[in-house]
Amino acid sequence: MRAAANLLLGSPTPRSRTRAQAPEARAWFLDADWDDPVWVFKPTNALEEAKPVRVDWRFKLPGGQVFVGHRYAALLHSSKQLIALIRSRSLGTGLPQRASTAAGYFNYLRELVRWMDQAGFSRFTDLDATALLQFQRALALRPGTRRPTLAPTTVQKYLYLLTYLYRFRDELDDGLRIDPFPGRSQGDVAGVHDADVRRWPYTPQAVAVALVQGAIDLVNRGATPILQARDVYAEAVGAAKQQGYLTDACTNAATRALRHARVRVPGQPQPILTVGALTPAIDMLYAACFVVISYLVGPRASEILHLQAGCVQRRGGAAAEEITVIVGAIFKRQPEYAGRPHEWVAPPVAATAIAVLEALSAGHRAQSGRPHLWLRRGQTPGATEWQRPCPGTLGIVSTRRMRLLLKRFAVWLGLPQHEGRTWQLSTHQGRKTFARFAALRDGSALFALAQHLGHRERAVTDCGYAGSDYRLNQEIETEILEQSTAAWEHMLAASGLGGRAGAEIVAKRPHFRGARLKQDLKSYARLLVDAGLVLGVCDWGFCVYREEHSACLGNAAGPNPARREPSTCGRCKNFVVSQQHRAYWVEQVRRHEALLDEPALPLQTLRIVRERLNEARALIHSIDADNPGTGHGPHTAP
């Protein structure tokens, strides 16, 4: 009966081989015995060291019994076998999965066991097609967190559990004997549609620009004075302790030292004069470093928080050809405790952020003997963390703590609102925003991206900017498809379109009516994208790319990134503008009118400016002609 369990108990990982041989009753992935009612998983990366993942098998069943009771011994053992196998081997890759993934499946398994107990089933083997259908109906009636029923994507996760029960049936003492979804996917059965898939949001442009600019400014100009103030505090407290002062007296001594030093952070109204002002300043510097690395390089939060001292390195031969990289590891879908080694091309300001983190963490690294850059004290935060030595336990900052720090950073910077509401930052948005930034194919954006990646030609950035980070490339491609779909939806529904291709689309697009209008629009837009009509999306309009009409002299692969700019697009047969682009062209009119007022402008430049002004006015006129409700601003009439 315990054959599968014994196999799992004896399946060491590379990490476990370096330790003393575990007891027979202890699995390679557990810091607990197999028969313990609470399983504590061994950390699958450094972020889990401080708070290991746990699952509690003592949950209550509908009849009032506890699952660890004697009558459920066989089902409990099979359930443990299943979670152990899920931890050991993914159906998709065949590689071990993270402890948190196994714990997620435990939550789904717990609900299945509760339903089985209520329905009178004591073994997984007894579940036939009718029973599985009844379980799916029960799932469909369960209330969700923010909706009356479970989301289809959540139901899909429960159905994956049934697939594991069937696929691992020969390794389990008790598994499903029938294929739960013959010939169908879990998504089809759960009714998952593309619109139901919740995608991580990116940071809106106005918020992202202010956020990144504020973070860069703090890293470049604020790091030195903040580190200086921290040293003033640490030295004052150290001297006071040597004289036998108590805690309050030490704090008072540090405050006097800070007031005497009067360290001023550029852009801040007041110098750092108190211990209470020092702590948030250091926290904001940590947040700024995270933002710079996340938004300008694109790693995941887990990859940033695992970075170690000395991770900034140079690659290449001659000095002119060298590039700066950040050396780290990728953990997503990687079985190794230390992840898969990886390098990201880094702009100068990201290298500066790493240098700041190295300075911030120097004392903590020396005290703990660990090389990680994000070591912080786990207890209640406060200036005492920066005493030498630091009192308390040191560990890597969790993603939850980093998320709370980003929210404080947003308030500290006074970020603009988005659509009348405060935008909530999170740790994943930097990578998503980076992908969107690269996917926009905006000429000015690509110039900036090329500069921070060290590319000599913008075309290099447009074609292969991200090196070997294939997953990030996939996210960028996904972002391009999402933007194309959204743009087609907009053009199919807009009352009018400008640009040389706008009239053609208005004349040929189908008319959508009825209760399913929104879903029909989305489906038709996806159909156009799937047919290969992927759009170029930028601030000044859409490019319905066709090589034979390309004013930028593009090729079969797409527009020419070196020649693509607003004026070229404006006279192209592939170009479309709508009401959402009006603000861009109004701003162009304002800028060109201001240039015409410059008395020292050369004649040739004046001619170019007048041409650009007329182009912008003509596009605004074409937008407004099909949107009669649009008010004409004082400088927009042709």
Side-chain angles (χ1 to χ4, degrees):
M1 178 179 178
R2 292 184 177 265
N6 290 335
L7 177 63
L8 292 165
L9 294 173
S11 302
T13 62
R15 182 169 179 261
S16 64
R17 290 192 193 106
T18 65
R19 299 187 173 186
Q21 189 63 35
E24 256 189 15
R26 179 165 295 197
W28 61 268
F29 58 88
L30 289 178
D31 275 332
D33 288 338
W34 179 271
D35 293 325
D36 285 351
V38 178
W39 274 8
V40 181
F41 287 89
K42 290 179 181 177
T44 45
N45 61 41
L47 290 177
E48 295 175 359
E49 292 280 3
K51 192 175 182 181
V53 176
R54 300 168 180 265
V55 298
D56 193 340
W57 297 100
R58 299 171 298 183
F59 57 85
K60 288 188 176 180
L61 299 170
Q65 299 87 356
V66 182
F67 191 46
V68 293
H70 180 71
R71 62 180 289 191
Y72 301 104
L75 186 60
L76 172 62
H77 183 71
S78 298
S79 298
K80 288 184 174 182
Q81 286 180 316
L82 177 64
I83 297 302
L85 283 164
I86 290 174
R87 168 67 181 88
S88 306
R89 188 166 75 251
S90 164
L91 285 181
T93 65
L95 298 172
Q97 303 191 90
R98 292 185 59 186
S100 56
T101 302
Y105 277 105
F106 166 81
N107 294 331
Y108 308 138
L109 176 65
R110 181 175 56 196
E111 297 307 315
L112 173 61
V113 169
R114 284 173 171 166
W115 177 84
M116 289 172 58
D117 184 64
Q118 193 170 32
F121 293 98
S122 59
R123 298 189 308 163
F124 296 125
T125 306
D126 295 334
L127 297 175
D128 55 15
T130 302
L132 294 176
L133 186 59
Q134 290 172 347
F135 175 62
Q136 294 171 45
R137 289 172 178 168
L139 287 177
L141 298 175
R142 287 194 63 208
T145 304
R146 297 181 181 177
R147 46 182 293 162
T149 59
L150 291 179
T153 50
T154 304
V155 174
Q156 182 183 25
K157 295 174 182 176
Y158 281 91
L159 303 185
Y160 277 125
L161 175 74
L162 299 181
T163 301
Y164 271 105
L165 271 169
Y166 174 67
R167 297 280 184 87
F168 289 155
R169 62 190 182 278
D170 293 333
E171 300 174 66
L172 296 169
D173 292 346
D174 174 27
L176 284 182
R177 297 304 167 188
I178 62 167
D179 187 344
F181 320 113
R184 301 183 66 188
S185 70
Q186 295 87 350
D188 289 339
V189 175
V192 175
H193 303 287
D194 185 67
D196 298 323
V197 179
R198 194 187 78 169
R199 293 178 171 85
W200 296 117
Y202 59 86
T203 308
Q205 181 174 337
V207 179
V209 169
L211 173 67
V212 174
Q213 286 178 339
I216 291 174
D217 185 65
L218 187 58
V219 167
N220 281 335
R221 302 200 301 149
T224 299
I226 291 174
L227 289 168
Q228 178 188 350
R230 186 190 66 166
D231 291 342
V232 168
Y233 165 83
E235 290 170 5
V237 170
K241 282 187 173 182
Q242 283 185 348
Q243 297 179 36
Y245 289 175
L246 299 177
T247 301
D248 290 343
C250 291
T251 302
N252 292 336
T255 299
R256 288 193 298 270
L258 288 169
R259 287 176 178 172
H260 177 74
R262 296 189 66 82
V263 177
R264 181 176 291 277
V265 179
Q268 295 304 303
Q270 295 292 331
I272 300 176
L273 300 175
T274 66
V275 174
L278 174 63
T279 303
I282 295 175
D283 283 346
M284 295 306 97
L285 186 55
Y286 268 108
C289 291
F290 184 93
V291 168
V292 166
I293 299 170
S294 179
Y295 281 76
L296 296 184
V297 181
R300 298 178 182 86
S302 61
E303 295 155 8
I304 296 174
L305 296 176
H306 275 90
L307 291 176
Q308 301 181 6
C311 63
V312 173
Q313 299 179 16
R314 302 286 293 177
R315 295 287 184 266
E321 299 176 355
E322 282 189 342
I323 60 170
T324 302
V325 298
I326 295 176
V327 179
I330 291 176
F331 293 89
K332 188 176 180 67
R333 297 183 181 177
Q334 302 301 318
E336 300 88 355
Y337 178 84
R340 173 170 57 84
H342 186 75
E343 297 180 357
W344 294 269
V345 178
V349 69
T352 302
I354 296 295
V356 171
L357 288 169
E358 288 177 338
L360 282 168
S361 64
H364 291 351
R365 287 185 283 115
Q367 180 177 332
S368 64
R370 300 175 64 181
H372 300 94
L373 295 177
W374 293 89
L375 292 172
R376 297 290 304 271
R377 187 174 63 178
Q379 287 86 351
T380 304
T384 54
E385 178 181 350
W386 307 110
Q387 294 179 9
R388 300 167 183 163
C390 167
T393 305
L394 295 170
I396 297 178
V397 174
S398 67
T399 52
R400 178 181 180 276
R401 183 174 176 181
M402 197 67 241
R403 183 172 65 249
L404 296 174
L405 195 57
L406 289 176
K407 290 182 178 180
R408 289 172 52 201
F409 189 51
V411 175
W412 189 77
L413 287 176
L415 295 182
Q417 292 188 327
H418 175 65
E419 298 180 349
R421 295 187 300 173
T422 300
W423 181 259
Q424 299 297 316
L425 295 175
S426 55
T427 54
H428 61 262
Q429 287 179 30
R431 180 178 174 87
K432 182 73 172 181
T433 307
F434 179 84
R436 179 177 176 81
F437 178 68
L440 274 173
R441 297 299 197 268
D442 179 314
S444 60
L446 285 170
F447 273 128
L449 186 60
Q451 183 181 23
H452 98 247
L453 290 178
H455 293 162
R456 296 179 180 178
E457 299 291 340
R458 190 179 66 180
V460 175
T461 307
D462 196 42
C463 298
Y465 77 97
S468 60
D469 194 345
Y470 300 116
R471 294 198 180 280
L472 183 55
N473 286 337
Q474 288 175 354
E475 291 189 27
I476 291 171
E477 292 302 319
T478 300
E479 187 63 34
I480 292 172
L481 293 176
E482 288 179 12
Q483 290 175 19
S484 296
T485 303
W488 274 117
E489 285 184 63
H490 175 76
M491 288 192 292
L492 292 170
S495 58
L497 298 171
R500 300 185 67 178
E504 182 182 353
I505 291 175
V506 170
K508 294 182 178 180
R509 67 187 178 185
H511 297 282
F512 298 94
R513 295 184 179 88
R516 289 181 49 83
L517 183 146
K518 186 175 181 180
Q519 187 61 43
D520 290 344
L521 275 172
K522 184 179 288 292
S523 299
Y524 195 81
R526 175 58 69 177
L527 179 66
L528 292 174
V529 171
D530 291 341
L533 293 174
V534 178
L535 297 170
V537 181
C538 56
D539 291 343
W540 56 80
F542 302 129
C543 174
V544 186
Y545 183 73
R546 293 160 294 181
E547 183 181 357
E548 64 272 18
H549 299 314
S550 172
C552 65
L553 305 180
N555 55 27
N560 182 350
R563 296 176 58 89
R564 183 177 175 186
E565 48 85 30
S567 181
T568 302
C569 294
R571 61 178 184 269
C572 182
K573 290 184 179 181
N574 294 332
F575 190 57
V576 182
V577 288
S578 69
Q579 186 62 31
Q580 75 179 56
H581 305 111
R582 190 178 190 275
Y584 176 90
W585 292 104
V586 168
E587 175 62 16
Q588 295 305 301
V589 169
R590 186 195 65 76
R591 290 175 61 188
H592 289 124
E593 286 180 339
L595 281 173
L596 290 177
D597 291 334
E598 293 289 337
L601 221 59
L603 181 61
Q604 183 63 28
T605 304
L606 281 171
R607 290 173 179 168
I608 295 173
V609 171
R610 288 196 185 100
E611 289 177 5
R612 300 294 186 266
L613 177 61
N614 291 334
E615 288 171 357
R617 284 176 169 174
L619 284 167
I620 292 171
H621 180 73
S622 69
I623 294 170
D624 292 344
D626 292 305
N627 294 274
T630 303
H632 290 265
H635 300 293
T636 60

